[in-house]
Amino acid sequence: MSGAVDVPPAEALARLDPSESRYAPTVVDALLSAAVAAGASDVHVHPIEDGLDVRWRVDGVLKPVAKLPKAGAPNIVARLKVLAELLTYKTDVPQEGRLRRGPDGVEMRLSIFPTLHGEKAVIRLFAGPGRFLVLDDLGLPAEARDALSRWLDETSGAIVLAGPSGSGKTTTIYACLRELARRNEGRRSLATLEDPIESALEGVAQSQVNPAAGLTLEAGLRALLRQDPEVIAVGEIRDRATAETTLQAALTGHLTLTTFHAGGACEVVGRLLDMGIEPYAIRGGVLGVIALRLARRLCPDCSLPAADPAELLGIAASSARVAVGCPACGGTGYSGRVLLAEMLPALDGELGRATLDRADVRRLEAIAIEAGMITRWDRARAAIEEGRTSPAEIRRVLGMSDRPFRQT
């Protein structure tokens, strides 16, 4: 992941005159260029009583960028809507679209939502050309990368990438599709059903849901199965119907890739059971599960050893470092991110029997750990002891429960 670059455009934007005819295009161009340079993943343009509050998310954390005057606020949001080919005269309904041209070839998605003081715009920025192309670029642990690589050569089964928003699920599934397209050179039919399409992929037939036209995830997936696909990527499992259709495709000779909002690898199985999915479909249909989290990486120029590494914020570790902040990291103490991955063992043996018995998540986790699963907490402790991230950052990402860090 790209590290933070301190390029706040506040001073430059403050010098612009809202009465000038090119004010909105100039602001938008400058803001998007600065966001790309800063390595931002999202830009929030939030209307407030006296103008626009602009923030962007770098390494998973929102940072204030600028306050823009009220006089030019509507024109700035309207400019973004024009670039995304949205309806500028509709200001009371949500809209979504893609920005046709981004600086440095970076693809962007725009979401518009009405609020008390006007329309809020959020721009999602995706990796530019040449970045995160294949599996080796993702920073996965060796065993997870090798397992994922093997799964991509299978002809059936579901690969599930889990985690909260902003954990790298979409980046990973796109890397898998690029890897498949590269390996197979057109010999396999690759298709997606996304909500929305976030990046154009060569060699992949990509489709986007359109509920207004009746193209829901469930209906689209059923229709897509009649298009003779060999590999199907479903943007996200959100309900029972989509889960059932996805697993049915996996059980009937299709390699399927999908994402799922879940805190951990075993939680995927637990949530599917809670949705009412039959245990045999989970055991037989799920090829593999990898849960992802992203933690900020400590700045190598300014981090310092912790005063008491043995028990810092309740995390037992033999060594630890803490964030300080310097010009190189924009004063945050962090630069870039560390991937924490948790891979579920194969759903056979005792873990498979527990799935068939509808065991709860804690029981599934206990069995998975006995079977050799390295948990996200284990990855976190290792990252702390290696000085790659801090205990405070792990608490921010994984929460405050100390159960996973207790010494046995």
Side-chain angles (χ1 to χ4, degrees), residues 151-210:
W151 296 340
L152 293 179
D153 287 329
E154 296 291 341
T155 57
S156 63
I159 300 171
V160 184
L161 301 168
S165 297
S167 60
K169 301 187 299 298
T170 300
T171 297
T172 304
I173 204 169
Y174 271 53
C176 289
L177 289 167
R178 292 188 185 99
E179 182 76 13
L180 283 164
R182 182 186 66 83
R183 288 184 187 181
N184 296 285
E185 299 178 337
R187 292 187 298 271
R188 295 176 82 180
S189 173
L190 313 179
T192 73
L193 186 60
E194 305 173 57
D195 184 18
I197 294 171
E198 298 186 350
S199 181
L201 298 172
E202 186 175 351
V204 183
Q206 295 174 265
S207 302
Q208 182 169 302
V209 301
N210 183 0

Side-chain angles (χ1 to χ4, degrees), residues 49-271:
E49 188 173 5
D50 58 349
L52 288 176
D53 178 30
V54 180
R55 299 170 183 260
W56 58 38
R57 190 179 300 277
V58 175
D59 294 337
V61 178
L62 272 178
K63 299 180 179 181
V65 175
K67 293 284 181 67
L68 302 178
K70 188 173 182 177
N75 291 336
I76 291 170
V77 176
R79 175 60 179 172
L80 288 168
K81 292 167 75 174
V82 167
L83 292 175
E85 298 183 359
L86 301 181
L87 300 175
T88 56
Y89 62 86
K90 282 189 174 288
T91 59
D92 57 350
V93 295
Q95 296 189 65
E96 289 187 3
R98 292 173 61 195
L99 299 184
R100 295 299 181 186
R101 288 178 185 270
D104 301 325
V106 174
E107 295 198 40
M108 303 183 185
R109 189 181 76 210
L110 175 66
S111 172
I112 299 290
F113 201 87
T115 70
L116 175 63
H117 296 295
E119 292 179 292
K120 179 180 179 181
V122 176
I123 305 105
R124 168 65 59 89
L125 289 74
F126 300 102
R131 294 183 56 206
F132 308 125
L133 293 179
V134 291
L135 300 185
D136 289 342
D137 301 318
L138 297 173
L140 286 164
E143 67 273 17
R145 180 199 61 218
D146 293 345
L148 186 52
S149 181
R150 290 194 304 272
W151 296 340
L152 293 179
D153 287 329
E154 296 291 341
T155 57
S156 63
I159 300 171
V160 184
L161 301 168
S165 297
S167 60
K169 301 187 299 298
T170 300
T171 297
T172 304
I173 204 169
Y174 271 53
C176 289
L177 289 167
R178 292 188 185 99
E179 182 76 13
L180 283 164
R182 182 186 66 83
R183 288 184 187 181
N184 296 285
E185 299 178 337
R187 292 187 298 271
R188 295 176 82 180
S189 173
L190 313 179
T192 73
L193 186 60
E194 305 173 57
D195 184 18
I197 294 171
E198 298 186 350
S199 181
L201 298 172
E202 186 175 351
V204 183
Q206 295 174 265
S207 302
Q208 182 169 302
V209 301
N210 183 0
L215 185 60
T216 63
L217 272 172
E218 180 191 4
L221 184 52
R222 292 186 186 279
L224 188 57
L225 289 172
R226 295 190 286 272
Q227 288 280 306
D228 189 32
E230 292 165 281
V231 180
I232 302 172
V234 182
E236 182 184 338
I237 290 178
R238 296 176 181 171
D239 52 41
R240 176 177 176 174
T242 304
E244 286 180 333
T245 308
T246 300
L247 288 176
Q248 187 62 33
L251 289 165
T252 55
H254 303 85
L255 179 65
T256 64
L257 297 86
T258 189
T259 66
F260 197 73
H261 279 267
C266 290
E267 196 174 313
V268 170
V269 177
R271 287 199 57 207

Side-chain angles (χ1 to χ4, degrees), residues 205 305 376:
R376 58 196 182 278

